[in-house]
Amino acid sequence: DRAFAAAAHVSRIDLVNNRLVPSPMEPRAAIARHDPASGEYTLYTTSQNPHTVRSTLCNSVLGIAETDLRVVSPDVGGGFGCKIFVYPEETTLCWISGQLGGTVRWTSDRSEAFLTDSHGRDHRTHAELALDEAGNFLALRVKTLANVGAYLSSGATAIPTFYYAPLLAGVYKTPAIHCNVVVTFTNTCCVDAYRGAGRPEATYVLERLIDQAARETGRDRVELRRQNFIGTELFPYPTPVGLVYDFADHAATLDLALEMSDWSGFAARRDEARGRGRLRGIGLSTYVEIAGGTPSRLLGQLGGRGGRAESAQVRVHPSGAITVFSGSHSHGQSHETTFAQIVSERLGVPLESIKVVQGDTDKVPFGRGTAASRSLVIGGSAIVRAVDKIIAKAIRIAAHRLEAAPSDIRFEAGVFGIVGTDRKIPFLEIAKAAYTLHDFPIESIEPGLDETAFYDPLNWTFPSGCHVCEVEIDPETGQVSVERIVAVDDVGTVINPMVVHGQIHGGLAQGLGQALLEGCIYDAEGQLLTGSFQDYCMPRADDVPNFEVALLGTPCEHNPLKAKGCAEVGSVGLPPAIINAVLDALSIVGVTSIDMPATAHRVWRAIRDACAG
């Protein structure tokens, strides 16, 4: 209140973060089987989090031991967050299979998915930004009404609060921030995590508000952001909303994005478009998000009932082949490749000799599945710790075989050797020795080469970046054509650039869908009006330009891979960049505000109303 009272200027904005239907390629499905002889259940289900499904069903529904329920989650055809949760259908199937003593199956059709899969976003927000005479941010005040639907699903209250308000600091050194979120029930489908889960909503509020403040004060929107960036010298940086950022270089990502997008040459492109009767605009968004999942100690402080550590088991077989059991879960993210690469690089063994097993509670020790870009950050770090245990034990075996002290053994590129000599022994021979036991010192070294590790993060990770979008609008029809998208993202260490680019492309496509095309609508009585792809518009190939993606990796300082996560950055950074570009294009006709999705009809109507006024 003191900051706002002392402000030279206050910018205010009211906006909607539109409701989305996640729409994975394959709808949800489940098969439940009960064996009356053993009393055991098996559930095949399209879940991102099979261990949580098992715990919930055993403890809250079936009243059985966790050893009596096997949950298997194979490749599930995409998830985007909506397959994290325990749903009524799989709960009912397990109960029915127990009553019948047999097998029951269920498959959702697309209409059912529109009605029952958890939706995303759906915020109504009023926000205010206070600035001093020099353009420095003094304070941010946000009031949000968040719809969670007719009943609560697993993370319904956490997403619009805990994963939203702490991100309102963004990449800026705003001294004071206040956010009040009112979570409301309505007669609609439940709302929960959808790609980004709270972070896109926060970024959208902040980046829209900053553009508006630049317009109202006559300041350059790029330089207004730059002067309020958290400088590299300020890290680690405690924000006023409870986070501690480790490190990032926001000016570097901004500069690279401006260069790649030819920001300085935009005026000429705008003039050329006007000559063709088109309105051209350019917009940007600078963002930070939290990834990696909530540290267990913090979850406990907040009253959470579970932990968020991740497990990994690395089993080296006598032949030298390796099986990696991960508590994380791949449903399109290519963990089978990335996790194998981590093991291959650290042990110096061929990639094709490594198999990754996941999604089966009878095979994997324990896990929290995939959500919040946690797989590499936490699951990969658990694998690193298990591999480190393998190496430590293998060094002792190598020391025995080479008749040297373990401290004299060095492991490099798949070979153990005595320092300062040419005496070496390959990893494959050590793997065999661990099981053949011919001269094995079983009194001091346990046979086998099989290690399990858990990893619990000390802090979140903080991917960040800058996205630039350039659009062209036909004022006669309101049709928005996306001409260019540039995404510069700092995701820390990159294991596989092709996988990371693919993840970013997917997030950008979903961000574009939200900004321009997708919107879930109910009527006043709660009837879903957008219940199929005839009414709910998904982005198609001709809606999406070639993405220009660059990675600027500053390492995370508190996990062994130094990774930050990449899966959700596209959905976080792009929507405000697109809407800021649309408003830039429409500024010449006097349009100052528009909500997502900026459909052709909505844009045409905004042009008509502005011209009429």
Side-chain angles (χ1 to χ4, degrees):
D1 290 342
R2 287 193 298 271
F4 273 90
H9 179 81
V10 175
S11 287
R12 297 176 175 86
I13 195 169
D14 290 284
L15 50 80
V16 173
N17 206 288
N18 43 321
R19 176 184 280 245
L20 302 175
V21 180
S23 304
M25 184 175 290
E26 297 177 16
R28 294 184 293 114
I31 301 173
R33 181 173 65 244
H34 179 248
D35 180 359
S38 66
E40 295 177 353
Y41 292 80
T42 301
L43 174 67
Y44 289 85
T45 184
T46 51
S47 173
Q48 298 172 220
N49 201 339
H51 277 93
T52 296
V53 171
R54 185 185 69 175
S55 296
T56 303
L57 293 179
C58 289
N59 298 328
S60 303
V61 179
L62 300 174
I64 60 174
E66 293 186 10
T67 53
D68 288 335
L69 173 61
R70 178 190 181 192
V71 177
V72 183
S73 183
D75 196 346
V76 300
F80 313 124
C82 76
K83 293 180 181 177
I84 297 172
F85 323 111
V86 180
Y87 280 93
E89 293 88 355
E90 55 202 356
T91 303
T92 305
L93 254 65
C94 284
W95 182 82
I96 292 174
S97 71
Q99 297 301 301
L100 298 179
T103 302
V104 187
R105 70 177 182 177
W106 166 82
T107 303
S108 168
D109 60 29
R110 187 60 67 178
S111 294
E112 225 175 339
F114 269 91
L115 287 164
T116 63
D117 287 4
S118 65
H119 294 169
R121 319 294 193 238
D122 207 353
H123 285 195
R124 306 293 185 272
T125 295
H126 174 78
E128 302 174 339
L129 179 66
L131 302 89
D132 67 15
E133 291 183 356
N136 298 309
F137 299 166
L138 298 178
L140 174 69
R141 188 156 51 201
V142 178
K143 298 178 181 178
T144 291
L145 186 67
N147 181 4
V148 295
Y151 57 90
L152 294 180
S153 60
S154 303
T157 54
I159 300 305
T161 55
F162 187 62
Y163 283 94
Y164 167 68
L167 267 295
L168 289 167
V171 297
Y172 310 106
K173 51 182 188 288
T174 309
I177 298 174
H178 181 269
C179 180
N180 181 41
V181 179
V182 176
V183 177
T184 181
F185 291 104
T186 63
N187 55 342
T188 64
C189 178
C190 61
V191 179
D192 211 308
Y194 171 66
R195 199 170 195 165
R199 291 93 85 192
E201 296 92 311
T203 300
Y204 185 68
V205 170
L206 190 57
E207 292 301 300
R208 283 285 311 277
L209 187 54
I210 291 171
D211 254 35
Q212 179 153 317
R215 285 194 298 270
E216 292 174 351
T217 61
R219 300 178 185 277
D220 182 272
R221 50 192 163 153
V222 173
E223 296 311 313
L224 182 60
R225 287 172 167 85
R226 191 191 301 276
Q227 83 174 70
N228 285 284
F229 277 166
I230 301 164
T232 55
E233 75 283 358
L234 297 177
F235 291 103
Y237 183 81
T239 76
V241 276
L243 301 179
V244 180
Y245 299 155
D246 51 3
F247 184 80
D249 191 339
H250 303 307
T253 54
L254 172 65
D255 290 340
L256 182 54
L258 296 177
E259 177 186 348
M260 289 176 59
S261 63
D262 187 22
W263 185 276
S264 62
F266 171 71
R269 298 192 294 277
R270 168 175 273 172
D271 292 342
E272 186 275 333
R274 285 176 181 168
R276 294 184 284 106
R278 296 292 189 267
L279 307 178
R280 200 171 182 103
I282 193 168
L284 82 159
S285 166
T286 47
Y287 74 90
V288 66
E289 68 142 329
I290 52 174
T294 308
S296 295
R297 57 180 175 77
L298 181 55
L299 191 68
Q301 294 169 9
L302 294 169
R305 290 177 291 175
R308 286 297 181 267
E310 194 50 79
S311 73
Q313 181 182 10
V314 177
R315 182 179 300 167
V316 181
H317 301 279
S319 65
I322 298 172
T323 304
V324 179
F325 300 88
S326 172
S328 184
H329 186 275
S330 177
H331 41 276
Q333 299 94 327
S334 299
H335 298 168
E336 301 89 337
T337 300
T338 308
F339 288 171
Q341 281 184 257
I342 294 171
V343 176
S344 174
E345 180 181 338
R346 290 181 175 263
L347 293 182
V349 299
L351 192 66
E352 56 270 18
S353 69
I354 302 167
K355 178 181 180 181
V356 177
V357 175
Q358 52 193 340
D360 188 334
T361 60
D362 269 14
K363 295 180 178 179
V364 176
F366 186 76
R368 286 295 183 181
T370 292
S373 302
R374 71 188 301 275
S375 296
L376 184 65
V377 173
I378 304 181
S381 293
I383 291 172
V384 169
R385 286 194 168 179
V387 170
D388 288 345
K389 289 183 178 182
I390 292 287
I391 293 172
K393 184 173 183 179
I395 284 175
R396 295 171 63 200
I397 298 172
H400 168 73
R401 294 298 300 273
L402 294 170
E403 298 179 328
S407 59
D408 292 332
I409 302 296
R410 293 292 181 271
F411 179 62
E412 187 175 359
V415 176
F416 298 86
I418 302 176
V419 176
T421 75
D422 60 356
R423 297 183 62 198
K424 302 179 185 300
I425 186 168
F427 180 83
L428 292 181
E429 189 172 330
I430 294 299
K432 183 178 180 180
Y435 292 93
T436 54
L437 312 178
H438 291 169
D439 64 344
F440 204 78
I442 56 175
E443 68 283 352
S444 58
I445 305 177
E446 185 176 317
L449 207 51
D450 185 347
E451 298 290 345
T452 299
F454 282 77
Y455 178 79
D456 196 15
L458 296 173
N459 191 6
W460 285 284
T461 58
F462 300 97
S464 60
C466 178
H467 292 176
V468 176
C469 177
E470 194 165 327
V471 303
E472 197 168 278
I473 299 174
D474 180 352
E476 298 297 322
T477 65
Q479 183 64 47
V480 179
S481 172
V482 179
E483 300 297 315
R484 195 171 189 185
I485 289 175
V486 171
V488 179
D489 300 296
D490 179 359
V491 298
T493 298
V494 173
I495 302 299
N496 187 312
M498 184 178 294
V499 168
V500 170
H501 277 246
Q503 296 260 355
I504 292 173
H505 285 194
L508 292 171
Q510 289 181 275
L512 183 149
Q514 174 170 16
L516 297 178
L517 302 168
E518 299 180 51
C520 179
I521 300 171
Y522 288 84
D523 67 15
E525 286 71 42
Q527 174 67 38
L528 181 64
L529 301 180
T530 51
S532 74
F533 289 139
Q534 289 184 311
D535 306 302
Y536 184 91
C537 186
M538 296 281 285
R540 295 171 172 82
D542 61 351
D543 296 314
V544 180
N546 288 325
F547 298 127
E548 300 170 59
V549 175
L551 304 176
L552 186 72
T554 61
C556 175
E557 299 178 351
H558 56 78
N559 68 64
L561 285 171
K562 303 189 182 303
K564 296 182 178 181
C566 69
E568 295 165 289
V569 296
S571 63
V572 173
L574 186 59
I578 292 177
I579 298 302
N580 285 341
V582 169
L583 289 173
D584 184 52
L586 296 177
S587 62
I588 192 172
V589 297
V591 176
T592 59
S593 181
I594 196 165
D595 279 320
M596 299 187 291
T599 60
H601 179 258
R602 182 169 283 175
V603 172
W604 174 83
R605 193 172 58 193
I607 294 172
R608 182 200 61 184
D609 292 347
C611 291

